Amino acid sequence: MLFLFSFLALQLLTSYQETIDFNHQSQKLYQGKTAKELFLIDYPNLPQESGEWTFNLGELVYHRNGQKLVIVVKLKDKQYLFYEAVSNNAEN
């Protein structure tokens, strides 16, 4: 009987920890994606083909590679790499 309760308690604790880790990873990913989207709003107004963009949770490094914009979002303990298509049209 004690074994059964110990086993169930361990499973519950493991499940709880996995849920916490998943929530933490999801939060970091959304922070990275949000920083990328906010940067893309300002990108057409930036004169440089590459540079850095600092925000309250970290920094974003970007450079244009042909028709591709490479974006690296650096958070405190994570780094995300994004690729965006770039158009030369004035209407985009």
Side-chain angles (χ1 to χ4, degrees):
M1 185 86 148
L2 181 62
F3 173 75
L4 180 61
F5 285 127
S6 297
F7 178 74
L8 291 175
L10 181 62
Q11 291 293 37
L12 184 63
L13 183 62
T14 302
S15 176
Y16 177 73
Q17 187 61 42
E18 288 174 352
T19 301
I20 297 266
D21 289 343
F22 176 76
N23 287 339
H24 181 71
Q25 297 299 325
S26 297
Q27 183 180 22
K28 291 290 182 185
L29 178 61
Y30 285 122
Q31 288 171 348
K33 285 184 174 185
T34 301
K36 177 195 72 147
E37 293 299 324
L38 290 173
F39 167 76
L40 288 174
I41 292 170
D42 286 339
Y43 176 73
N45 301 325
L46 298 175
Q48 304 95 342
E49 293 290 315
S50 64
E52 294 180 5
W53 193 68
T54 305
F55 60 102
N56 63 339
L57 296 175
E59 74 173 350
L60 182 145
V61 178
Y62 68 94
H63 70 275
R64 186 172 179 164
N65 187 4
Q67 293 298 317
K68 237 187 255 186
L69 181 63
V70 180
I71 302 170
V72 179
V73 178
K74 298 176 183 179
L75 300 175
K76 184 174 155 184
D77 57 348
K78 281 287 190 186
Q79 183 170 312
Y80 297 100
L81 179 64
F82 300 102
Y83 296 96
E84 291 289 324
V86 179
S87 173
N88 289 332
N89 295 344
E91 62 193 44
N92 286 339

